[in-house]
């Protein structure tokens, strides 16, 4: 009987270890805030793109999702500069999804419905231009460019955007329907290989499932590559840079300037901001040297 119990214990331990290995790269990759109960379960319940205090926040910021890695440092530095704000809530979902949330007034994730309205919204220039009537003030605060994310060692020998059109190469691609980066990557495909390259990756390879269109590319592209589901993915430079920074087995393939696309990040102060003074203070902070230093730390250009 002891031998049977010991064997069962070993089997359970082995299963738990295997499960932990399967989920070892799961987010959240940021440091969760302290609480009396810490109940993040990788692969089951981790909600990595909602940050901070959802109850009675003094400031609400909707960030274009690919800035998630900056949030911890940004909010800490903002609270140091403006100590009157202790309760801040932020979202880092795709900008198109956040825009729909602003328009409709709510979002449901799992079983949770959020009706908080943002004080500040950040996104790329084209998205901000579309929404300009909603803002009382806008400001440029950071820049970025494209790169290709691949597994460590670059086993498929991906060297440029043209390689993403190769038959059988599995590509993780942001969906242009709600990811602003998707349209910018399509522009880069045309620069690198003309319309045939764009069509090959976005039409032919989508049909044969070797191009996977993501829902939240700043999470999914990295995870698909880390778990061996995709061979490469075009991303913002800062995203591949960050994966290397935190020690994940990821490499970054640079894209020449002549084929690359520049991103301009703009913050918009909402005319209907629930916390107008906090919105003004955060807009001022985003333009400060302290904020620029944080963005530079995570691979953005200033």
């Amino acid at each position: 009987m002891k031998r049977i119990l010991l064997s069962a214990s070993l089997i359970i331990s082995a299963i738990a270890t295997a499960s932990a290995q399967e989920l070892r790269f799961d987010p959240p990759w940021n440091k969760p805030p302290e609480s009396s109960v810490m109940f993040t379960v990788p692969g089951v319940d981790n909600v990595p793109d909602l940050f901070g205090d959802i109850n009675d926040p003094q400031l609400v910021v909707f960030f274009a999702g690919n800035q998630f890695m900056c949030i911890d440092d940004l909010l800490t530095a903002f609270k140091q500069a403006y100590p009157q704000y202790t309760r801040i809530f932020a979202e880092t979902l795709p900008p198109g999804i956040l825009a729909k949330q602003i328009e409709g007034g709510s979002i449901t994730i799992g079983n949770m419905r959020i009706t908080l309205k943002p004080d500040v919204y950040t996104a790329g220039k084209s998205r901000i231009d579309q929404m300009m009537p909603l803002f009382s003030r806008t400001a440029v605060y950071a820049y970025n460019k494209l790169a290709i994310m691949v597994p460590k060692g670059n086993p498929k020998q991906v060297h440029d955007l043209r390689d993403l059109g190769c038959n059988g190469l599995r590509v993780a691609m942001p969906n242009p329907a709600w990811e602003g980066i998707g349209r910018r990557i399509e522009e880069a495909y045309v620069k690198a290989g003309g319309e045939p390259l764009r069509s090959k990756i976005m039409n032919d390879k989508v049909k044969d499932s070797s191009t996977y269109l993501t829902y939240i590319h700043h999470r999914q592209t990295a995870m698909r590559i880390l778990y061996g589901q995709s061979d490469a993915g075009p991303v913002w430079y800062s995203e591949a840079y960050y994966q290397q920074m935190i020690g994940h087995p990821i490499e970054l393939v640079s894209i020449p300037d002549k084929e690359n696309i520049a991103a301009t990040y703009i913050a918009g102060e909402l005319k209907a901001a629930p916390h107008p003074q906090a919105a003004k203070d955060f807009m001022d902070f985003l333009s400060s040297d302290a904020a620029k230093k944080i963005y530079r730390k995570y691979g953005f250009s200033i």
Side-chain angles (χ1 to χ4, degrees):
M1 178 62 76
K2 288 183 178 179
R3 185 175 296 174
I4 293 172
L5 290 174
L6 180 59
S7 298
S9 176
L10 290 173
I11 291 170
I12 292 170
S13 177
I15 291 172
T17 300
S19 297
Q21 285 294 307
E22 290 170 5
L23 301 171
R24 66 192 183 280
F25 297 121
D26 271 28
W29 298 316
N30 302 68
K31 182 181 178 182
E34 290 297 324
S35 187
S36 58
V37 178
M38 305 297 287
F39 190 69
T40 300
V41 185
V44 179
D45 244 331
N46 55 30
V47 198
D49 284 305
L50 305 181
F51 297 80
D53 294 281
I54 200 166
N55 291 321
D56 189 28
Q58 298 164 293
L59 170 69
V60 177
V61 184
F62 287 3
F63 288 95
N66 62 341
Q67 299 167 69
F68 72 89
M69 68 287 289
C70 304
I71 301 303
D72 294 350
D73 288 356
L74 274 178
L75 297 189
T76 296
F78 176 69
K79 288 177 179 179
Q80 289 174 347
Y82 297 86
Q84 65 268 39
Y85 302 115
T86 59
R87 301 184 309 280
I88 301 174
F89 177 71
E91 296 184 13
T92 56
L93 295 166
I97 300 299
L98 294 174
K100 289 179 182 294
Q101 184 180 350
I102 292 173
E103 180 183 5
S106 64
I107 188 171
T108 295
I109 301 175
N111 294 319
M112 178 173 60
R113 184 168 182 260
I114 300 171
T115 58
L116 292 173
K117 294 176 172 55
D119 299 298
V120 175
Y121 169 82
T122 84
K125 184 178 185 304
S126 60
R127 178 72 64 178
I128 293 292
D129 287 346
Q130 293 170 23
M131 300 171 63
M132 191 61 74
L134 299 179
F135 305 122
S136 58
R137 169 190 176 192
T138 61
V140 174
Y141 61 91
Y143 303 91
N144 216 334
K145 60 183 178 181
L146 296 175
I148 303 172
M149 185 184 292
V150 297
K152 188 171 184 178
N154 194 4
K156 297 293 185 178
Q157 294 299 294
V158 174
H159 299 298
D160 56 40
L161 290 171
R162 287 174 290 277
D163 288 339
L164 302 185
C166 293
N167 292 331
L169 187 86
R170 299 171 301 168
V171 179
M173 172 69 199
N175 193 327
W178 48 73
E179 298 267 35
I181 183 178
R183 298 186 188 91
R184 307 310 308 278
I185 292 170
E186 287 187 298
E187 293 175 35
Y189 288 153
V190 173
K191 278 188 172 187
E195 177 58 25
L197 178 63
R198 190 206 68 80
S199 182
K200 179 71 179 294
I201 298 170
M202 298 302 297
N203 295 321
D204 300 348
K205 295 188 62 159
V206 168
K207 290 176 183 176
D208 70 20
S209 299
S210 59
T211 290
Y212 178 88
L213 298 179
T214 65
Y215 293 87
I216 304 179
H217 93 274
H218 59 272
R219 303 288 183 189
Q220 283 180 290
T221 295
M223 291 177 70
R224 288 185 65 83
I225 291 172
L226 288 166
Y227 289 127
Q229 299 167 327
S230 292
D231 302 311
V235 295
W236 291 122
Y237 178 93
S238 54
E239 292 165 20
Y241 182 88
Y242 174 72
Q243 292 297 324
Q244 292 180 314
M245 177 187 289
I246 62 177
H248 284 169
I250 288 291
E251 287 189 14
L252 182 159
V253 177
S254 297
I255 298 173
D257 288 344
K258 64 181 180 179
E259 298 172 2
N260 216 317
I261 294 292
T264 301
Y265 294 96
I266 302 178
E269 180 181 336
L270 275 296
K271 291 178 181 177
H275 314 97
Q277 185 59 49
K280 178 183 182 303
D281 290 340
F282 193 75
M283 290 286 291
D284 290 344
F285 171 75
L286 274 181
S287 300
S288 70
D289 289 341
K292 290 177 181 178
K293 183 178 179 180
I294 291 168
Y295 276 97
R296 196 176 292 114
K297 170 184 173 180
Y298 289 102
F300 294 79
S301 55
I302 302 300

